[in-house]
Protein backbone atom coordinates (compact mmCIF):
# COMPACT_ATOMS: atom_id res chain seq x y z
CA UNK A 1 0.00 0.00 0.00
CA UNK A 2 1.25 3.45 -0.93
CA UNK A 3 -0.14 6.58 0.63
CA UNK A 4 0.55 9.94 -0.90
CA UNK A 5 -0.41 13.49 0.01
CA UNK A 6 0.68 17.02 -0.61
CA UNK A 7 2.26 17.38 2.86
CA UNK A 8 4.13 15.05 5.20
CA UNK A 9 5.25 15.89 8.74
CA UNK A 10 7.92 13.51 10.01
CA UNK A 11 7.53 14.25 13.73
CA UNK A 12 11.02 15.64 14.38
CA UNK A 13 9.66 19.13 15.05
CA UNK A 14 11.24 20.66 11.95
CA UNK A 15 10.43 18.75 8.82
CA UNK A 16 7.42 19.19 6.60
CA UNK A 17 7.94 17.69 3.15
CA UNK A 18 5.88 18.10 0.02
CA UNK A 19 4.55 15.57 -2.48
CA UNK A 20 5.80 12.51 -0.64
CA UNK A 21 4.65 8.91 -0.64
CA UNK A 22 4.78 6.36 2.17
CA UNK A 23 5.04 2.67 1.36
CA UNK A 24 3.57 0.40 4.04
CA UNK A 25 5.09 -3.05 3.72
CA UNK A 26 3.59 -6.49 4.40
CA UNK A 27 4.77 -6.43 8.03
CA UNK A 28 2.91 -3.21 8.71
CA UNK A 29 6.07 -1.14 8.74
CA UNK A 30 7.08 1.93 6.84
CA UNK A 31 9.11 0.35 4.05
CA UNK A 32 9.99 3.50 2.20
CA UNK A 33 9.32 7.24 2.13
CA UNK A 34 10.23 9.35 -0.84
CA UNK A 35 9.22 11.45 -3.76
CA UNK A 36 5.65 10.66 -4.77
CA UNK A 37 6.64 10.59 -8.45
CA UNK A 38 9.10 7.78 -7.77
CA UNK A 39 6.71 5.55 -5.81
CA UNK A 40 4.85 3.93 -8.71
CA UNK A 41 8.12 3.02 -10.47
CA UNK A 42 9.51 1.46 -7.30
CA UNK A 43 6.39 -0.47 -6.33
CA UNK A 44 4.43 -1.05 -9.57
CA UNK A 45 2.22 -3.73 -7.99
CA UNK A 46 1.10 -1.66 -5.02
CA UNK A 47 -2.21 0.09 -4.67
CA UNK A 48 -1.78 3.87 -4.41
CA UNK A 49 -4.02 6.09 -2.32
CA UNK A 50 -3.69 9.75 -3.15
CA UNK A 51 -5.22 12.05 -0.55
CA UNK A 52 -4.39 15.23 -2.43
CA UNK A 53 -4.41 18.43 -0.35
CA UNK A 54 -3.83 16.56 2.91
CA UNK A 55 -1.14 15.89 5.51
CA UNK A 56 0.33 12.54 6.52
CA UNK A 57 1.79 12.54 10.01
CA UNK A 58 2.89 10.02 12.62
CA UNK A 59 0.14 8.48 14.74
CA UNK A 60 -0.41 10.74 17.75
CA UNK A 61 0.33 9.93 21.38
CA UNK A 62 -1.83 11.00 24.28
CA UNK A 63 0.56 10.89 27.22
CA UNK A 64 -2.03 11.42 29.92
CA UNK A 65 -5.24 9.44 29.72
CA UNK A 66 -7.53 7.66 32.17
CA UNK A 67 -9.47 5.18 30.05
CA UNK A 68 -11.23 3.74 33.07
CA UNK A 69 -12.15 6.99 34.83
CA UNK A 70 -15.87 6.54 35.26
CA UNK A 71 -16.10 8.48 38.53
CA UNK A 72 -17.58 11.57 36.90
CA UNK A 73 -20.52 9.66 35.41
CA UNK A 74 -23.89 10.65 36.85
CA UNK A 75 -25.14 7.04 37.08
CA UNK A 76 -22.23 5.62 39.05
CA UNK A 77 -24.34 2.71 40.29
CA UNK A 78 -24.28 1.20 36.81
CA UNK A 79 -20.50 1.09 36.70
CA UNK A 80 -19.53 -2.41 37.74
CA UNK A 81 -16.38 -4.01 36.31
CA UNK A 82 -18.14 -4.97 33.06
CA UNK A 83 -19.41 -1.47 32.41
CA UNK A 84 -16.02 0.02 33.21
CA UNK A 85 -14.43 -2.30 30.65
CA UNK A 86 -16.95 -1.25 27.97
CA UNK A 87 -16.35 2.36 28.90
CA UNK A 88 -12.59 1.94 28.52
CA UNK A 89 -13.10 0.20 25.19
CA UNK A 90 -15.11 3.16 23.96
CA UNK A 91 -12.23 5.46 24.94
CA UNK A 92 -9.88 3.22 23.00
CA UNK A 93 -12.09 3.42 19.91
CA UNK A 94 -12.36 7.16 20.27
CA UNK A 95 -8.59 7.49 20.40
CA UNK A 96 -8.19 5.62 17.11
CA UNK A 97 -10.82 7.82 15.46
CA UNK A 98 -8.78 10.86 16.47
CA UNK A 99 -5.53 9.43 15.17
CA UNK A 100 -4.15 8.61 18.62
CA UNK A 101 -2.28 5.35 18.13
CA UNK A 102 -0.43 5.25 21.49
CA UNK A 103 -1.63 6.16 24.96
CA UNK A 104 -0.03 6.32 28.37
CA UNK A 105 -2.69 5.67 31.00
CA UNK A 106 -1.77 7.23 34.34
CA UNK A 107 -4.25 5.64 36.75
CA UNK A 108 -7.04 3.26 36.02
CA UNK A 109 -8.94 0.62 37.99
CA UNK A 110 -6.49 -2.21 38.80
CA UNK A 111 -5.78 -4.55 35.88
CA UNK A 112 -8.08 -2.71 33.47
CA UNK A 113 -5.42 -1.49 31.03
CA UNK A 114 -3.42 -4.69 31.27
CA UNK A 115 -6.51 -6.65 30.24
CA UNK A 116 -7.53 -4.19 27.54
CA UNK A 117 -4.10 -4.50 25.97
CA UNK A 118 -4.26 -8.29 26.23
CA UNK A 119 -7.71 -8.31 24.61
CA UNK A 120 -6.16 -6.29 21.78
CA UNK A 121 -3.30 -8.77 21.43
CA UNK A 122 -5.79 -11.63 21.30
CA UNK A 123 -7.64 -9.84 18.51
CA UNK A 124 -10.91 -9.47 20.45
CA UNK A 125 -10.82 -5.71 20.14
CA UNK A 126 -8.76 -3.06 18.34
CA UNK A 127 -7.00 -0.70 20.70
CA UNK A 128 -4.11 1.73 20.45
CA UNK A 129 -0.68 0.86 21.83
CA UNK A 130 -1.07 0.98 25.59
CA UNK A 131 1.50 1.89 28.23
CA UNK A 132 0.03 2.14 31.71
CA UNK A 133 0.74 2.83 35.36
CA UNK A 134 -2.09 0.70 36.78
CA UNK A 135 -3.85 2.45 39.71
CA UNK A 136 -1.26 5.07 40.69
CA UNK A 137 -0.24 5.94 44.25
CA UNK A 138 -1.10 8.80 46.62
CA UNK A 139 -0.73 9.34 50.35
CA UNK A 140 -3.58 8.37 52.66
CA UNK A 141 -6.32 10.87 51.90
CA UNK A 142 -4.23 12.34 49.07
CA UNK A 143 -5.27 13.53 45.62
CA UNK A 144 -7.12 10.77 43.80
CA UNK A 145 -7.82 8.50 46.77
CA UNK A 146 -11.55 8.77 46.09
CA UNK A 147 -10.98 7.83 42.45
CA UNK A 148 -9.29 4.49 42.87
CA UNK A 149 -5.69 5.62 43.43
CA UNK A 150 -3.89 3.34 45.90
CA UNK A 151 -2.95 4.96 49.21
CA UNK A 152 0.49 4.42 50.71
CA UNK A 153 2.62 6.18 53.32
CA UNK A 154 6.25 6.20 54.41
CA UNK A 155 9.20 5.43 52.13
CA UNK A 156 8.75 1.70 52.60
CA UNK A 157 5.00 1.86 52.23
CA UNK A 158 5.45 3.69 48.92
CA UNK A 159 8.05 1.17 47.77
CA UNK A 160 5.69 -1.68 48.64
CA UNK A 161 2.85 -0.07 46.67
CA UNK A 162 5.14 0.34 43.66
CA UNK A 163 6.15 -3.32 43.93
CA UNK A 164 2.50 -4.39 44.06
CA UNK A 165 1.60 -2.38 40.99
CA UNK A 166 4.62 -3.60 39.04
CA UNK A 167 3.67 -7.15 40.02
CA UNK A 168 0.19 -6.40 38.66
CA UNK A 169 1.73 -5.49 35.31
CA UNK A 170 2.29 -1.72 35.40
CA UNK A 171 4.78 -0.45 32.79
CA UNK A 172 5.22 2.90 34.53
CA UNK A 173 4.69 4.21 38.05
CA UNK A 174 2.42 7.17 38.77
CA UNK A 175 2.60 9.19 41.97
CA UNK A 176 0.18 11.96 42.92
CA UNK A 177 1.51 14.55 45.35
CA UNK A 178 -0.36 17.81 45.00
CA UNK A 179 -3.87 18.98 44.52
CA UNK A 180 -4.88 22.62 44.33
CA UNK A 181 -3.38 23.77 47.59
CA UNK A 182 0.14 24.80 48.48
CA UNK A 183 0.77 21.99 50.92
CA UNK A 184 2.62 19.13 49.24
CA UNK A 185 1.25 15.68 50.00
CA UNK A 186 4.17 13.24 50.06
CA UNK A 187 7.31 14.24 51.96
CA UNK A 188 10.63 14.58 50.15
CA UNK A 189 11.72 11.30 51.70
CA UNK A 190 8.69 9.50 50.26
CA UNK A 191 9.18 11.05 46.82
CA UNK A 192 12.88 10.15 46.79
CA UNK A 193 12.02 6.58 47.77
CA UNK A 194 9.42 6.34 45.00
CA UNK A 195 11.85 7.48 42.32
CA UNK A 196 14.59 5.23 43.66
CA UNK A 197 12.31 2.19 43.75
CA UNK A 198 11.01 2.69 40.22
CA UNK A 199 14.44 3.37 38.73
CA UNK A 200 16.04 0.54 40.68
CA UNK A 201 13.54 -1.74 38.93
CA UNK A 202 14.21 -0.19 35.54
CA UNK A 203 10.84 1.53 35.29
CA UNK A 204 10.04 5.19 34.68
CA UNK A 205 7.94 7.26 37.03
CA UNK A 206 5.47 10.12 36.47
CA UNK A 207 4.17 12.52 39.08
CA UNK A 208 1.07 14.66 39.33
CA UNK A 209 2.32 18.00 40.61
CA UNK A 210 0.91 21.41 39.77
CA UNK A 211 1.68 23.79 42.60
CA UNK A 212 4.66 25.07 44.57
CA UNK A 213 6.66 23.89 46.43
CA UNK A 214 5.57 20.44 45.27
CA UNK A 215 7.00 21.00 41.78
CA UNK A 216 10.47 21.74 43.13
CA UNK A 217 10.34 18.68 45.39
CA UNK A 218 9.51 16.52 42.37
CA UNK A 219 12.35 18.01 40.32
CA UNK A 220 14.74 17.36 43.20
CA UNK A 221 13.50 13.76 43.49
CA UNK A 222 14.20 13.24 39.78
CA UNK A 223 10.91 12.01 38.35
CA UNK A 224 10.87 11.24 34.63
CA UNK A 225 7.78 13.28 33.81
CA UNK A 226 5.94 16.00 35.70
CA UNK A 227 2.23 16.06 34.95
CA UNK A 228 0.51 19.47 34.85
CA UNK A 229 3.32 21.59 36.36
CA UNK A 230 0.73 24.34 36.27
CA UNK A 231 2.77 26.94 38.12
CA UNK A 232 6.16 25.85 36.84
CA UNK A 233 8.76 28.64 36.68
CA UNK A 234 11.34 29.22 33.97
CA UNK A 235 14.19 28.41 36.37
CA UNK A 236 12.50 25.11 37.19
CA UNK A 237 11.88 24.29 33.53
CA UNK A 238 15.60 24.84 32.96
CA UNK A 239 16.42 22.41 35.77
CA UNK A 240 14.05 19.90 34.20
CA UNK A 241 15.75 20.29 30.83
CA UNK A 242 19.13 19.67 32.46
CA UNK A 243 17.93 16.65 34.42
CA UNK A 244 15.98 15.14 31.52
CA UNK A 245 12.59 15.52 33.18
CA UNK A 246 9.77 15.96 30.67
CA UNK A 247 6.67 18.11 31.18
CA UNK A 248 3.08 17.21 30.31
CA UNK A 249 1.24 20.53 30.75
CA UNK A 250 -2.37 19.32 30.12
CA UNK A 251 -3.40 22.86 29.14
CA UNK A 252 -6.76 21.81 27.76
CA UNK A 253 -8.10 20.22 30.92
CA UNK A 254 -7.43 23.35 32.99
CA UNK A 255 -8.67 25.69 30.28
CA UNK A 256 -11.87 23.69 29.96
CA UNK A 257 -12.46 23.85 33.71
CA UNK A 258 -11.73 27.56 33.69
CA UNK A 259 -14.18 28.20 30.85
CA UNK A 260 -16.93 26.02 32.28
CA UNK A 261 -16.65 27.69 35.65
CA UNK A 262 -16.55 31.13 34.06
CA UNK A 263 -19.77 30.45 32.16
CA UNK A 264 -21.43 29.25 35.32
CA UNK A 265 -20.41 32.39 37.20
CA UNK A 266 -21.42 34.67 34.31
CA UNK A 267 -24.85 33.08 34.28
CA UNK A 268 -25.32 34.60 37.72
CA UNK A 269 -24.26 33.10 40.98
CA UNK A 270 -26.66 32.27 43.70
CA UNK A 271 -24.27 31.63 46.56
CA UNK A 272 -26.93 29.58 48.34
CA UNK A 273 -26.63 27.05 45.53
CA UNK A 274 -23.74 24.77 46.56
CA UNK A 275 -22.73 24.01 42.94
CA UNK A 276 -22.51 27.70 42.08
CA UNK A 277 -20.71 28.52 45.31
CA UNK A 278 -18.21 25.79 44.52
CA UNK A 279 -17.66 27.24 41.03
CA UNK A 280 -16.69 30.57 42.52
CA UNK A 281 -14.34 28.82 44.90
CA UNK A 282 -12.80 26.68 42.10
CA UNK A 283 -12.29 29.67 39.85
CA UNK A 284 -9.81 31.05 42.37
CA UNK A 285 -7.60 28.17 41.19
CA UNK A 286 -8.64 27.70 37.56
CA UNK A 287 -8.25 31.31 36.52
CA UNK A 288 -4.59 31.68 37.59
CA UNK A 289 -3.98 28.18 36.20
CA UNK A 290 -5.38 29.14 32.80
CA UNK A 291 -3.38 32.40 32.85
CA UNK A 292 -0.17 30.63 33.84
CA UNK A 293 -0.38 28.33 30.81
CA UNK A 294 -1.32 31.16 28.48
CA UNK A 295 1.38 33.56 29.70
CA UNK A 296 4.23 31.13 30.40
CA UNK A 297 3.96 28.26 27.94
CA UNK A 298 6.29 29.71 25.29
CA UNK A 299 8.92 30.85 27.81
CA UNK A 300 8.90 27.41 29.41
CA UNK A 301 9.04 25.68 26.02
CA UNK A 302 12.04 27.81 25.07
CA UNK A 303 14.08 26.52 28.03
CA UNK A 304 14.41 23.27 26.08
CA UNK A 305 12.38 21.16 28.50
CA UNK A 306 10.87 18.19 26.67
CA UNK A 307 7.15 18.94 26.31
CA UNK A 308 4.61 16.12 26.01
CA UNK A 309 1.03 16.30 24.82
CA UNK A 310 -1.44 14.83 27.28
CA UNK A 311 -5.16 15.48 27.58
CA UNK A 312 -6.20 14.21 31.04
CA UNK A 313 -9.87 14.87 30.32
CA UNK A 314 -12.15 12.97 32.66
CA UNK A 315 -15.16 15.25 33.01
CA UNK A 316 -18.66 14.15 32.14
CA UNK A 317 -19.68 15.23 28.61
CA UNK A 318 -16.35 16.96 27.98
CA UNK A 319 -14.80 16.42 24.53
CA UNK A 320 -13.01 13.07 24.79
CA UNK A 321 -9.21 12.88 24.47
CA UNK A 322 -8.81 16.47 23.23
CA UNK A 323 -5.22 16.09 22.10
CA UNK A 324 -5.83 18.12 18.93
CA UNK A 325 -7.03 20.96 21.11
CA UNK A 326 -3.96 20.58 23.34
CA UNK A 327 -1.69 21.07 20.32
CA UNK A 328 -3.96 23.96 19.26
CA UNK A 329 -3.33 25.77 22.54
CA UNK A 330 0.41 25.21 22.23
CA UNK A 331 0.29 26.92 18.83
CA UNK A 332 -1.94 29.72 20.15
CA UNK A 333 0.65 30.29 22.86
CA UNK A 334 3.56 30.63 20.49
CA UNK A 335 5.11 27.47 19.01
CA UNK A 336 4.74 26.31 15.41
CA UNK A 337 2.33 23.56 14.37
CA UNK A 338 5.24 21.34 13.35
CA UNK A 339 6.82 21.81 16.80
CA UNK A 340 3.49 21.07 18.46
CA UNK A 341 3.15 17.82 16.52
CA UNK A 342 6.50 16.71 17.90
CA UNK A 343 5.14 16.89 21.48
CA UNK A 344 2.56 14.27 20.52
CA UNK A 345 4.88 12.10 18.43
CA UNK A 346 8.68 11.94 18.66
CA UNK A 347 8.97 13.46 22.15
CA UNK A 348 6.39 11.07 23.54
CA UNK A 349 7.95 8.02 21.89
CA UNK A 350 11.38 8.95 23.14
CA UNK A 351 10.21 9.46 26.75
CA UNK A 352 8.50 6.07 26.54
CA UNK A 353 11.68 4.57 25.07
CA UNK A 354 9.92 3.33 21.92
CA UNK A 355 11.26 5.88 19.45
CA UNK A 356 12.88 3.11 17.41
CA UNK A 357 9.46 1.47 17.00
CA UNK A 358 7.07 4.34 16.45
CA UNK A 359 6.56 8.10 16.85
CA UNK A 360 8.10 9.30 13.57
CA UNK A 361 7.60 8.76 9.89
CA UNK A 362 10.82 6.99 9.08
CA UNK A 363 11.71 3.84 7.19
CA UNK A 364 11.69 0.77 9.42
CA UNK A 365 9.27 2.14 12.00
CA UNK A 366 5.73 0.86 12.54
CA UNK A 367 3.09 2.06 10.11
CA UNK A 368 1.34 4.18 12.77
CA UNK A 369 0.05 7.27 11.02
CA UNK A 370 -2.87 9.48 10.29
CA UNK A 371 -3.96 11.46 7.29
CA UNK A 372 -5.86 14.70 7.73
CA UNK A 373 -7.34 17.13 5.25
CA UNK A 374 -5.36 20.34 4.70
CA UNK A 375 -1.91 21.54 5.66
CA UNK A 376 -1.19 20.92 9.34
CA UNK A 377 2.09 22.83 9.11
CA UNK A 378 0.08 25.99 8.44
CA UNK A 379 -3.04 25.21 10.43
CA UNK A 380 -2.91 22.94 13.48
CA UNK A 381 -6.74 22.83 13.58
CA UNK A 382 -6.61 20.74 10.39
CA UNK A 383 -6.02 17.83 12.79
CA UNK A 384 -9.75 17.81 13.45
CA UNK A 385 -10.36 16.70 9.88
CA UNK A 386 -9.13 13.12 10.13
CA UNK A 387 -9.44 11.13 6.91
CA UNK A 388 -7.74 7.86 7.82
CA UNK A 389 -5.77 6.29 10.64
CA UNK A 390 -3.33 3.38 10.45
CA UNK A 391 -1.97 1.32 13.32
CA UNK A 392 0.92 -1.02 12.53
CA UNK A 393 0.08 -0.67 8.84
CA UNK A 394 -3.57 -1.64 9.29
CA UNK A 395 -6.35 0.85 8.68
CA UNK A 396 -8.20 1.38 11.95
CA UNK A 397 -10.33 4.36 11.00
CA UNK A 398 -11.67 5.93 7.83
CA UNK A 399 -14.24 8.69 7.35
ZN1 LIG B 1 -4.70 12.66 35.32
Amino acid sequence: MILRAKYLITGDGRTCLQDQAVYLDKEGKIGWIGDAAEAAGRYPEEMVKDYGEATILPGLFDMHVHFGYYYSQPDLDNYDDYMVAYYALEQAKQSLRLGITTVRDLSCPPNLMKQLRLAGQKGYVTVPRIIHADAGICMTGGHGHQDGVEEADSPWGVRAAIRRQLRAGADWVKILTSNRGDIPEFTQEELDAAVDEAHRQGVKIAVHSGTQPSIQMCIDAGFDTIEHGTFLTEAQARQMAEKGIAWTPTITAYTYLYEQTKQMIEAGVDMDNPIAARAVHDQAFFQPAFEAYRDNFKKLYDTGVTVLAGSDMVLYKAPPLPIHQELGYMVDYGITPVEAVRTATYNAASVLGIEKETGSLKEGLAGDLLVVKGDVSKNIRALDDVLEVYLAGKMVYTV
Side-chain angles (χ1 to χ4, degrees):
M1 168 96 66
I2 292 171
L3 313 178
R4 56 181 285 185
K6 184 98 178 95
Y7 310 100
L8 181 142
I9 294 177
T10 61
D12 68 0
R14 292 183 301 275
T15 314
C16 180
L17 304 166
Q18 293 211 0
D19 299 313
Q20 298 287 294
V22 178
Y23 164 57
L24 296 174
D25 69 17
K26 306 283 174 277
E27 281 84 56
K29 293 198 166 144
I30 298 170
W32 177 81
I33 299 180
D35 210 58
E38 258 181 63
R42 279 183 90 105
Y43 304 100
E45 312 282 283
E46 290 292 328
M47 185 182 129
V48 181
K49 280 193 179 184
D50 189 349
Y51 300 97
E53 193 69 19
T55 308
I56 302 177
L57 59 158
L60 302 174
F61 289 57
D62 190 333
M63 289 293 275
H64 194 132
V65 303
H66 300 285
F67 272 11
Y69 192 98
Y70 64 95
Y71 308 95
S72 51
Q73 298 300 310
D75 58 334
L76 273 181
D77 286 356
N78 283 326
Y79 282 77
D80 60 2
D81 289 354
Y82 302 108
M83 191 58 78
V84 172
Y86 289 129
Y87 179 81
L89 180 57
E90 179 54 27
Q91 301 269 314
K93 283 188 193 159
Q94 187 66 39
S95 67
L96 294 175
R97 283 178 212 132
L98 294 169
I100 299 165
T101 51
T102 306
V103 297
R104 182 181 61 159
D105 191 297
L106 290 180
S107 178
C108 60
N111 292 327
L112 177 68
M113 295 309 280
K114 181 176 83 172
Q115 297 298 67
L116 185 61
R117 178 166 63 195
L118 184 59
Q121 285 161 358
K122 286 177 180 289
Y124 299 160
V125 293
T126 304
V127 298
R129 294 175 196 276
I130 291 171
I131 285 96
H132 72 91
D134 204 52
I137 300 158
C138 66
M139 72 167 195
T140 296
H143 185 40
H145 80 280
Q146 287 156 319
D147 307 336
V149 174
E150 182 178 349
E151 296 170 294
D153 304 289
S154 89
W156 285 105
V158 170
R159 284 182 194 266
I162 290 173
R163 291 170 188 178
R164 274 194 297 278
Q165 293 193 14
L166 294 179
R167 182 184 62 192
D171 311 301
W172 269 65
V173 177
K174 165 80 178 296
I175 297 288
L176 295 92
T177 188
S178 77
N179 195 356
R180 292 177 200 156
D182 297 332
I183 300 173
E185 296 188 344
F186 281 121
T187 64
Q188 190 70 52
E189 211 186 348
E190 288 168 318
L191 296 174
D192 292 347
V195 172
D196 181 65
E197 187 60 33
H199 288 173
R200 201 178 64 79
Q201 300 218 37
V203 172
K204 287 191 173 181
I205 180 164
V207 64
H208 172 123
S209 174
T211 53
Q212 306 289 2
S214 160
I215 295 173
Q216 188 60 50
M217 291 168 75
C218 294
I219 294 170
D220 293 343
F223 283 88
D224 295 290
T225 68
I226 291 183
E227 305 304 305
H228 318 300
T230 312
F231 297 103
L232 185 63
T233 68
E234 262 179 272
Q236 288 174 328
R238 232 170 278 120
Q239 290 173 40
M240 288 170 69
E242 271 161 33
K243 292 181 86 165
I245 302 173
W247 174 42
T248 319
T250 65
I251 304 165
T252 310
Y254 287 86
T255 306
Y256 183 81
L257 283 161
Y258 161 71
E259 281 169 352
Q260 292 287 307
T261 313
K262 190 165 158 241
Q263 274 175 23
M264 209 184 287
I265 294 169
E266 278 168 4
V269 179
D270 166 13
M271 289 303 273
D272 290 335
N273 173 344
I275 296 172
R278 171 130 184 249
V280 172
H281 175 261
D282 288 350
Q283 197 68 332
F285 180 80
F286 295 138
Q287 181 158 359
F290 156 74
E291 288 168 358
Y293 286 119
R294 182 195 61 195
D295 300 342
N296 302 336
F297 178 75
K298 178 66 162 68
K299 284 181 259 176
L300 298 172
Y301 182 90
D302 286 344
T303 63
V305 63
T306 299
V307 175
L308 303 172
S311 65
D312 193 25
M313 187 59 85
V314 294
L315 300 163
Y316 180 59
K317 284 196 167 161
L321 306 162
I323 212 69
H324 303 168
Q325 181 63 50
E326 183 73 9
L327 302 187
Y329 284 128
M330 291 184 193
V331 171
D332 290 348
Y333 298 158
I335 70 173
T336 69
V338 174
E339 287 170 334
V341 166
R342 179 179 157 131
T343 71
T345 55
Y346 178 78
N347 282 3
S350 104
V351 167
L352 295 172
I354 55 173
E355 74 277 16
K356 293 199 169 69
E357 265 175 69
T358 183
S360 313
L361 293 184
K362 223 166 153 184
E363 286 166 24
L365 268 58
D368 295 353
L369 55 88
L370 72 153
V371 187
V372 304
K373 216 166 157 185
D375 180 359
V376 172
S377 77
K378 297 268 162 28
N379 173 23
I380 194 72
R381 260 85 193 182
L383 285 177
D384 287 336
D385 231 331
V386 178
L387 296 172
E388 272 177 5
V389 180
Y390 289 79
L391 174 63
K394 212 179 109 201
M395 196 205 285
V396 289
Y397 175 73
T398 184
V399 272

